[in-house]
Amino acid sequence: MTIDTGVRLTIAQALERLMKDGMPFRFEAYDGSVAGPESAQYTFRLLNERGLAYVMTAPGDLGFGRAVVAGDLEVDGVCMGNPYDVLAHVQNRLSLKMPTPSEVVQIVRSLGVGKLMPPQPPPEEHLPRWRRALDGLRHSKARDAEAIHHHYDVSNRFYEYVLGPSMTYTCAVFPREDATLEEAQFEKYDLVARKLGLKAGDRLLDVGCGWGGMVRHAAAHYGVKVIGVTLSEQQAAWAQEEIKRQGLDHLAEVRFGDYRDVTETGFDAVSSIGLTEHIGVRNYASYFTFLAGKLKVGGRLLNHCITRRDGSMSPKTGAFIDRFVFPDGELAPIGRIVSAAHDNGLEVRHVEDLREHYALTLKGWSENLEEHWEECLEEVSLGTAKVWGVYMAGSRLAFERNELGLHHVLAVKVGPDGDAHFPLRPTWGS
């Protein structure tokens, strides 16, 4: 088929050219053009030229995300605090085709070469990878601190609305399908404690401790002396205040700093819940070596982290996640993590995949954001709230579809005589 590149297309016609099996939604553009069935469940509205330029200069999730966050692309009747249903609908039905060179020429000529000049990104967007490199090496202490600051130092009150009373921003463990989010977060912390074999008087180091959920749980329910450390100043302040409020400051503390600056050693256990995603795949060896060095012989490490489905996938996160959510985040398949732990001072004893539990956790967070949408907008910008809505709904789909996993890796530091001080069979129950 020969394309007449001189024929000018409307925005809707240009979009239709990219659809392999037709438009699975209604589309309306600011130039007055429309496409897709009138009876479609969802109607997308492109409101202005900036939104079109976002999509044209960054095709895929980044351009779409920019347009949504900036308010240039809307979906009728959908609260962007929980756009799970519309994202699932589009993913299930959308089939794009690669345009031919002549089609690309026709689309660009029709929509305007000027739309290939990138607009200023939304203020909620972090710097691109090349620009971050000017501020330090990837996963240097300074650059990691800035990445954590971007995501976590937003508003503790905002996180209280989204995460709920536990203030826990990691995958929960649902003892029952109908368990509440709070019950599931309690079960997660208790499962970690049981896997670590914690008992009164033990010493625990919790790296990447967030708002101190594991710190408080171990101290309150197991009588353990705990040091937690986080790179988020707001998290540390909130956690210390809550520790004092609960009367746990004789057992527990949360420090604002880098886990690599912890000098104490001889811990009975180390918990790392949601930190591995931030350290970089190339740093796994030094990470596990460091944690092994903090343990006494027979001490256990519980590493809880998001994983890739398999090794064919890039460790780097998608463009939207990298720029708006987790700058410099990296994920690896579970085999890579097990090998790194096993090769650097630890013996891996147990691995568990909790993938479905993270989908349920994200469902709960999304529902919280939707329920408290107006209150959240008093704490953060509309763009930031949209980022969270899109990212959590999209992540839920990724866990449901086995694109992402969530693994527990339980390892032990074995003595020179080969004694692992480990029971013959698991003692932590389900």
Side-chain angles (χ1 to χ4, degrees), residues 50-104:
R50 184 180 63 181
L52 178 59
Y54 277 144
V55 174
M56 288 184 65
T57 55
D61 65 336
L62 181 57
F64 169 81
R66 283 172 171 168
V68 169
V69 170
D72 302 333
L73 180 64
E74 296 180 347
V75 187
D76 274 5
V78 174
C79 173
M80 294 313 292
N82 188 9
Y84 171 83
D85 289 338
V86 65
L87 291 184
H89 176 88
V90 171
Q91 282 199 20
N92 287 336
R93 296 165 176 81
L94 187 64
S95 179
L96 298 176
K97 66 179 181 180
M98 184 66 67
T100 65
S102 59
E103 285 178 319
V104 171

Side-chain angles (χ1 to χ4, degrees), residues 221-247:
H221 297 281
Y222 288 83
V224 173
K225 298 177 181 178
V226 196
I227 295 173
V229 59
T230 173
L231 271 174
S232 167
E233 188 170 9
Q234 288 194 30
Q235 285 182 338
W238 191 97
Q240 276 297 104
E241 185 176 329
E242 185 64 13
I243 286 170
K244 290 180 181 179
R245 190 188 72 80
Q246 294 188 21

Side-chain angles (χ1 to χ4, degrees), residues 126-127 130-138 140 142-143 146:
H126 197 50
L127 297 170
W130 69 266
R131 177 58 184 82
R132 283 176 238 155
L134 301 178
D135 297 329
L137 294 174
R138 188 178 181 87
S140 64
R143 189 162 158 182
E146 174 55 32

Side-chain angles (χ1 to χ4, degrees), residues 295-306:
L295 290 168
K296 69 180 187 182
V297 170
R300 300 183 195 178
L301 164 69
L302 191 287
N303 198 85
H304 163 128
C305 72
I306 300 172

